[in-house]
């Protein structure tokens, strides 16, 4: 049976795997199972409810939430109605949410919780096309129960004639957080005014506020939003709880409403199902239009290529709006496997790994960097004997795996076709000599590391950026297979991937079936380069997007004769089998002397330092390179303590000559001619920064990529100083 649409895929899986567990959803800290039939029923109920409030074929619906069960229900309900979802991160800035919902012509939005609702409320007047809001989690409302609409959780604002403890705590919180708003009924606001008049001095004393009474009272009252029971009758957009939409859907289905099922059956392969806005590292994001056919290519070719099956248990840690996670959840559903939702925080992720014991994880490099760092930090806390055993196991294991890789042809070659007979013979001797030692190390060290991630992992899929070489080698050594892949939002996303049969260190694997890739000269896109040379990756196939929404000019810039220009620099191995990424064409730094430098290899190398948390190489149009470094302050604090370096805070610490000298030594140790770097890459000015780059500060995208342009603007003075 040839499945053409996501709706067909879902219905087919329900028919094949109806009683199997599709999801494990955490409730009260315990995972509860949901079968395929139960899941489809939830999608049908919610979709029917959405249809009843006016979501129809070809409408666009915003979906502002992180990864959770309700996300995939909402997503497939929207697609089931032949409508189009517009996903946004729950942590998106107001500018991003306003831009995406407005530019996409969304007529409704599903918001995760109170944070998203409070932010949306402040921009609602800028989005007149949006007629309905659905809240996954109800908002807190200080109100009597009888005065509260169904989409709120009423909280008492007084106990008898006195203010309630929760209301008072909220007032104190609001005084300390000047940007926050809170929601209350008209009666609660009247009570608040009187309470502030009678108790303002006591409040000022308790909160230690430096503002005067009038300012505090006016500020608080301005930031209150009055919500009454009849809100939907007098306001637009109308607001509903997720539960209310489900209730409407259940009632309609009980009366025999079959419109959702009938509509979903009529979907077409080339029909638009989503507009996903790219991260926008240099300008406003572009809306990537993906169709049923784009996703169905991934569903058709990935399971056989990666040997996925219905016995797999997947742990979801990436946000569902991330194209890699979204497509992964479709792959799981298509194969009859199981998804359990977790979070990318070690206090949540590590216990969930033990509980779920996943066989597959989809992740980004930063997660594996964190796991690697956590393991190394734990080793450092161990006894001298434990450290010695660990270091022996890793050192010996790397030699063994390298030799094994030469024999298996999984250590890539870019400048010649094959290893020499002498190299192969040397590798055979190494494997024979170290074989028993590796098995011993596996038993006493590596097996324990694998248990940290559940002990049953077949492999992990990593995308959204390149794995650091040392991290890649480490996990290969301990027997954790991390299948690095490559793709873009514009390609739905996967283009290449390592798998157990086609696996080579420091590469992004081989092209997936039906994917064509060629490497062309960056100055002449008509000129295809021989294997081993660096150029721009052009790709072609059924996974390439329909185009950018309302942006034909940009679409024509990147798609010509069916070939999509990825903007990424890469090269093929000498035999043409594997691909390796080098960087992005827009990230290339050109020094004043005309030297062209790709910053990513330099950054990846420098990240190997224990003392570095985040780093960006700079120097466009300068005489030399520079590096902005956010140190790992936990590790740096230990160094300072050992060196008896006195400091009050991080800002003071990074100005200490001893600390600056430490990072200069690290830079010279890691970036040198001996390590294959060119002379003009080894000289760098250094600037240490006290705070991490963040999404909130506008320095990183939602997918945790650095906005180089914004960082360059923000730190212009520092860059001018260190780059000359």
């Amino acid at each position: 049976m040839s499945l053409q649409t996501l709706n067909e895929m879902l219905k087919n899986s329900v028919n094949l795997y109806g009683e199997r567990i599709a999801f494990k959803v955490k409730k009260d800290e315990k995972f509860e199972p949901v079968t395929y039939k139960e899941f489809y029923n939830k999608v049908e109920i919610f979709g029917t409810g959405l249809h009843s409030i006016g979501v129809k074929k070809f409408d666009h619906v915003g979906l502002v939430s992180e990864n959770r069960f309700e996300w995939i229900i909402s997503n497939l309900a929207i697609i089931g109605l032949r409508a189009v979802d517009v996903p946004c991160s729950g942590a998106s800035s107001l500018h991003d949410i306003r831009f995406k919902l407005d530019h996409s012509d969304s007529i409704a939005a599903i918001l995760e919780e109170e944070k998203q609702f409070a932010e949306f409320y402040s921009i609602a007047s800028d989005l007149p096309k949006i007629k309905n809001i659905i809240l996954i989690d109800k908002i807190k409302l200080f109100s009597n129960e009888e005065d509260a609409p169904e989409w709120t959780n009423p909280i008492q604002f007084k106990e008898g004639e006195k203010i309630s403890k929760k209301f008072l705590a909220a007032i104190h919180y609001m005084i300390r957080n000047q940007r926050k708003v809170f929601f209350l009924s008209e009666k609660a606001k009247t009570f608040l005014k009187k309470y502030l008049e009678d108790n303002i001095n006591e409040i000022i004393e308790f909160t230690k506020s430096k503002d005067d009474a009038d300012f505090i009272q006016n500020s608080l009252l301005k930031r209150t939003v009055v919500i009454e029971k009849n809100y939907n009758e007098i306001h637009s957009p109308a607001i509903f709880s997720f539960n209310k939409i489900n209730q409407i859907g259940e009632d309609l289905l009980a009366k025999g409403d079959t419109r959702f099922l009938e509509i979903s059956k009529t979907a077409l392969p080339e029909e638009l199902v989503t507009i996903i806005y790219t991260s926008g590292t240099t300008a406003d994001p572009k809306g990537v239009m993906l169709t049923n056919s784009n996703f169905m290519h991934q569903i058709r070719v990935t399971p056989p290529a990666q040997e996925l099956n219905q016995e797999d248990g997947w742990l979801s840690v990436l946000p569902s709006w991330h194209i890699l996670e979204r497509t992964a959840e479709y792959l799981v559903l298509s194969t009859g496997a199981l998804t359990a939702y977790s979070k990318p925080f070690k206090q949540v992720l590590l216990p969930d790994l033990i509980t779920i014991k996943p066989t597959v994880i989809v992740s980004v490099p930063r997660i594996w960097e964190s796991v690697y760092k956590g393991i190394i930090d734990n080793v450092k806390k161990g006894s001298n004997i434990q450290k010695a055993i660990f270091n022996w196991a890793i050192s010996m294991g790397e030699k063994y795996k390298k030799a094994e890789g030469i024999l298996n042809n999984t250590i890539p070659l870019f400048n010649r076709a094959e290893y020499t007979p002498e190299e192969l013979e040397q590798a055979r001797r190494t494997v024979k000599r170290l074989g028993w030692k590796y098995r011993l190390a596996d038993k006493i060290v590596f097996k324990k590391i694998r248990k940290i991630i559940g002990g049953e992992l077949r492999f992990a899929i990593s995308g959204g950026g390149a794995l650091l070489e040392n991290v890649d080698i480490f996990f290969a050594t301990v027997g954790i297979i991390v299948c690095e892949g490559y793709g873009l939002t514009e390609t739905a996303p996967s283009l290449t991937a390592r798998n157990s049969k086609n696996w080579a260190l420091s590469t992004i694997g081989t092209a997936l079936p039906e994917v064509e890739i060629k490497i062309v000269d960056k100055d002449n896109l008509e000129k295809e380069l021989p294997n081993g040379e660096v150029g721009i990756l052009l790709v072609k196939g059924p996974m390439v997007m329909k185009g950018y929404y309302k942006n034909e000019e940009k679409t024509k810039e990147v798609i010509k004769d069916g070939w999509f220009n990825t903007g990424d620099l890469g090269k093929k191995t000498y035999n043409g089998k594997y691909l390796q990424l080098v960087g992005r064409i827009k990230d290339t730094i050109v020094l004043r002397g005309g030297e062209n430098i790709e910053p990513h290899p330099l950054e990846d190398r420098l990240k190997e330092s224990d003392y570095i948390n985040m780093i960006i190489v700079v120097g466009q149009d300068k005489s030399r390179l520079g590096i902005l470094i956010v140190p790992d302050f936990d590790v740096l604090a230990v160094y300072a303590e050992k060196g008896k370096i006195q400091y009050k805070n991080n800002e003071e610490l990074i100005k200490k000559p001893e600390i600056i000298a430490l990072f200069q030594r690290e830079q010279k140790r890691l970036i040198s001619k001996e390590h294959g770097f060119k002379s003009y890459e080894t000289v760098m000015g250094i600037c240490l920064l006290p705070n991490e780059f963040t999404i909130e500060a506008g320095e990183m995208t939602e997918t945790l990529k650095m906005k180089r342009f914004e960082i360059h603007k923000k730190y212009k003075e520092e860059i001018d100083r260190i780059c000359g």
Side-chain angles (χ1 to χ4, degrees):
M1 181 182 178
S2 178
L3 303 174
Q4 301 293 310
T5 69
L6 290 169
N7 295 339
E8 287 179 358
M9 177 276 290
L10 179 59
K11 207 70 179 78
N12 181 64
S13 291
V14 173
N15 292 337
L16 290 175
Y17 315 115
E19 300 306 323
R20 289 182 63 82
I21 297 171
F23 294 92
K24 283 191 176 179
V25 183
K26 203 177 279 188
K27 190 175 181 182
D28 300 326
E29 298 307 308
K30 289 186 179 178
F31 284 101
E32 294 188 356
V34 179
T35 68
Y36 273 78
K37 277 185 180 174
E38 290 169 337
F39 172 64
Y40 183 77
N41 190 41
K42 290 177 186 293
V43 172
E44 188 176 24
I45 287 169
F46 190 68
T48 302
L50 284 180
H51 190 264
S52 75
I53 64 166
V55 177
K56 57 188 185 301
K57 183 170 67 173
F58 307 145
D59 278 343
H60 298 176
V61 180
L63 181 47
V64 187
S65 172
E66 298 303 306
N67 74 320
R68 55 188 294 165
F69 188 43
E70 291 85 355
W71 194 100
I72 193 70
I73 291 171
S74 302
N75 170 248
L76 288 170
I78 293 165
I79 292 170
L81 290 170
R82 296 179 66 188
V84 177
D85 71 81
V86 182
C88 305
S89 165
S92 293
S93 68
L94 272 179
H95 171 81
D96 269 355
I97 292 174
R98 183 194 292 113
F99 177 84
K100 290 172 185 177
L101 295 181
D102 178 51
H103 185 269
S104 66
D105 302 308
S106 292
I107 56 92
I110 299 168
L111 308 179
E112 182 170 15
E113 57 186 4
E114 188 169 319
K115 175 186 178 291
Q116 286 79 36
F117 176 71
E119 291 180 343
F120 176 84
Y121 192 90
S122 69
I123 58 172
S125 60
D126 299 333
L127 299 165
K129 296 172 196 167
I130 292 185
K131 302 304 179 188
N132 291 296
I133 293 291
I134 297 101
L135 294 170
I136 295 176
D137 293 336
K138 296 182 178 183
I139 68 164
K140 297 189 292 291
L141 178 73
F142 288 100
S143 170
N144 296 324
E145 197 162 334
E146 64 272 15
D147 297 328
E150 62 82 21
W151 44 274
T152 64
N153 282 321
I155 300 170
Q156 281 188 328
F157 60 89
K158 61 179 181 176
E159 295 161 357
E161 292 305 311
K162 290 186 175 181
I163 191 167
S164 71
K165 290 178 182 177
K166 287 185 177 178
F167 197 27
L168 184 57
I171 293 168
H172 292 159
Y173 174 78
M174 290 283 290
I175 290 171
R176 295 187 183 105
N177 295 270
Q178 294 287 326
R179 294 184 179 179
K180 299 292 182 182
V181 299
F182 67 155
F183 304 96
L184 67 175
S185 66
E186 190 62 58
K187 289 177 184 174
K189 185 165 186 178
T190 301
F191 180 87
L192 174 63
K193 285 179 182 175
K194 183 73 167 64
Y195 183 81
L196 291 175
E197 288 169 6
D198 296 342
N199 299 276
I200 190 63
N201 291 329
E202 183 184 328
I203 291 170
I204 290 171
E205 186 178 347
F206 183 86
T207 58
K208 297 182 172 62
S209 175
K210 294 178 181 177
D211 297 316
D212 62 37
D214 285 344
F215 177 85
I216 290 174
Q217 287 175 277
N218 291 332
S219 172
L220 277 175
L221 294 172
K222 276 181 185 176
R223 290 182 288 128
T224 57
V225 178
V226 173
I227 304 289
E228 294 291 0
K229 196 174 187 73
N230 64 344
Y231 184 93
N232 284 357
E233 295 170 21
I234 55 178
H235 290 89
S236 180
I239 303 169
F240 303 89
S241 69
F242 199 85
N243 291 343
K244 181 64 176 178
I245 299 297
N246 281 332
Q247 184 187 322
I248 294 169
E250 280 183 339
D251 291 345
L252 288 169
L253 286 169
K255 293 173 185 175
D257 191 320
T258 60
R259 285 175 295 177
F260 179 82
L261 184 59
E262 290 162 4
I263 293 167
S264 68
K265 286 178 181 177
T266 62
L268 301 172
E270 293 309 314
E271 208 159 86
L272 190 61
V273 295
T274 188
I275 301 172
I276 303 177
Y277 283 84
T278 57
S279 302
T281 55
T282 57
D284 279 331
K286 299 182 288 290
V288 176
M289 297 189 288
L290 296 176
T291 65
N292 274 304
S293 289
N294 296 144
F295 286 114
M296 293 311 295
H297 164 262
Q298 304 281 292
I299 289 167
R300 183 168 62 250
V301 306
T302 307
Q306 299 301 114
E307 299 181 332
L308 307 176
N309 61 70
Q310 67 183 54
E311 301 305 320
D312 279 322
W314 297 58
L315 195 68
S316 167
V317 293
L318 296 180
S320 300
W321 49 260
H322 193 295
I323 183 64
L324 179 59
E325 173 62 30
R326 173 187 183 137
T327 302
E329 291 186 33
Y330 294 161
L331 294 176
V332 180
L333 287 169
S334 74
T335 54
L338 158 78
T339 298
Y341 286 107
S342 185
K343 297 285 183 184
F345 313 117
K346 63 181 179 181
Q347 63 269 32
V348 178
L349 176 58
L350 293 179
D352 287 352
L353 286 166
I354 301 301
T355 301
I356 296 298
K357 294 181 170 50
T359 61
V360 185
I361 300 173
V362 174
S363 57
V364 289
R366 196 156 175 82
I367 289 175
W368 292 106
E369 289 166 24
S370 296
V371 173
Y372 167 75
K373 187 175 182 301
I375 292 167
I376 299 301
D377 287 347
N378 280 336
V379 169
K380 287 178 180 176
K381 294 172 187 173
S383 66
N384 288 334
I385 292 175
Q386 288 171 322
K387 289 178 194 172
I389 292 171
F390 177 85
N391 290 334
W392 164 80
I394 294 297
S395 176
M396 180 278 305
E398 285 181 3
K399 291 173 187 172
Y400 176 82
K401 281 292 183 181
K402 182 178 179 181
E404 187 182 61
I406 290 171
L407 294 179
N408 296 339
N409 206 26
T410 57
I411 304 291
L413 290 170
F414 293 94
N415 57 358
R416 53 195 169 112
E418 54 190 23
Y419 288 97
T420 65
E422 293 77 18
E423 287 170 325
L424 291 170
E425 180 56 34
Q426 178 65 41
R428 272 190 285 271
R429 286 200 295 268
T430 301
V431 167
K432 186 175 181 180
R433 176 170 54 86
L434 297 180
W436 71 271
K437 292 182 180 179
Y438 184 83
R439 289 189 291 275
L440 176 63
D442 189 71
K443 188 174 182 180
I444 63 176
V445 178
F446 304 156
K447 194 174 181 182
K448 291 176 182 175
I449 293 173
R450 292 196 296 273
K451 275 191 175 179
I452 293 171
I453 52 176
E456 295 182 18
L457 191 72
R458 292 203 296 125
F459 60 87
I461 297 169
S462 180
L467 277 169
L468 297 180
E469 187 178 9
N470 64 319
V471 174
D472 201 4
I473 291 169
F474 174 82
F475 285 112
T477 301
V478 304
I480 294 172
I481 298 173
V482 181
C483 293
E484 188 172 359
Y486 164 68
L488 304 95
T489 304
E490 289 90 340
T491 56
S494 300
L495 296 165
T496 73
R498 300 185 205 168
N499 57 46
S500 56
K501 291 175 183 172
N502 293 305
W503 194 87
L505 271 172
S506 74
T507 74
I508 51 174
T510 59
L512 290 173
E514 303 175 35
V515 175
E516 295 180 64
I517 299 178
K518 63 181 179 180
I519 310 287
V520 299
D521 190 296
K522 62 183 180 181
D523 299 317
N524 179 7
L525 301 186
E526 302 296 318
K527 181 184 177 184
E528 190 167 355
L529 297 175
N531 295 340
E533 289 193 23
V534 174
I536 296 177
L537 276 70
L538 302 186
V539 301
K540 193 177 192 179
M543 67 290 154
V544 173
M545 66 170 180
K546 191 172 185 176
Y548 294 121
Y549 187 61
K550 296 195 301 192
N551 200 335
E552 195 173 335
E553 184 183 343
K554 287 290 182 187
T555 302
K556 287 179 178 177
E557 279 181 22
V558 296
I559 302 177
K560 292 177 182 175
D561 301 323
W563 288 95
F564 172 68
N565 185 337
T566 67
D568 287 315
L569 295 169
K571 59 184 177 179
K572 291 182 179 180
T573 50
Y574 194 85
N575 60 13
K577 187 174 183 180
Y578 301 104
L579 274 163
Q580 186 180 73
L581 281 188
V582 175
R584 280 194 65 75
I585 189 70
K586 288 183 180 177
D587 294 340
T588 301
I589 295 170
V590 183
L591 294 179
R592 206 174 290 153
E595 302 92 343
N596 280 242
I597 297 148
E598 300 309 324
H600 297 281
L602 295 167
E603 289 164 355
D604 289 347
R605 181 68 176 169
L606 288 162
K607 280 182 198 169
E608 292 180 19
S609 169
D610 292 341
Y611 300 103
I612 292 176
N613 175 16
M614 304 174 101
I615 186 165
I616 180 170
V617 174
V618 295
Q620 180 64 34
D621 297 324
K622 302 294 182 185
S623 59
R624 68 170 182 171
L625 293 176
I627 39 177
L628 305 179
I629 297 173
V630 179
D632 184 320
F633 284 104
D634 291 336
V635 177
L636 201 57
V638 174
Y639 179 86
E641 187 178 347
K642 285 182 180 176
K644 296 181 181 177
I645 300 170
Q646 301 295 316
Y647 65 99
K648 294 176 184 174
N649 50 42
N650 290 341
E651 285 86 348
E652 188 175 312
L653 178 62
I654 60 176
K655 292 174 184 173
K656 295 284 182 179
E658 305 97 306
I659 298 300
I660 295 168
L662 166 68
F663 284 95
Q664 287 171 335
R665 289 195 300 274
E666 286 291 278
Q667 181 260 312
K668 287 174 183 174
R669 177 177 71 84
L670 293 165
I671 306 294
S672 65
K673 290 180 184 177
E674 291 71 33
H675 286 123
F677 293 99
K678 298 179 178 69
S679 58
Y680 52 79
E681 293 174 320
T682 63
V683 180
M684 297 180 175
I686 292 174
C687 176
L688 304 180
L689 303 176
N691 300 306
E692 288 190 353
F693 302 128
T694 65
I695 297 171
E696 292 73 20
E699 299 153 338
M700 299 194 82
T701 70
E702 292 169 354
T703 51
L704 300 182
K705 294 185 179 78
M706 286 184 288
K707 291 187 175 181
R708 292 177 182 271
F709 179 72
E710 294 298 330
I711 292 170
H712 290 171
K713 272 201 309 183
K714 185 170 183 177
Y715 295 101
K716 183 182 182 303
E717 285 184 21
E718 289 84 351
I719 292 170
D720 289 346
R721 175 172 56 81
I722 63 175
C723 293

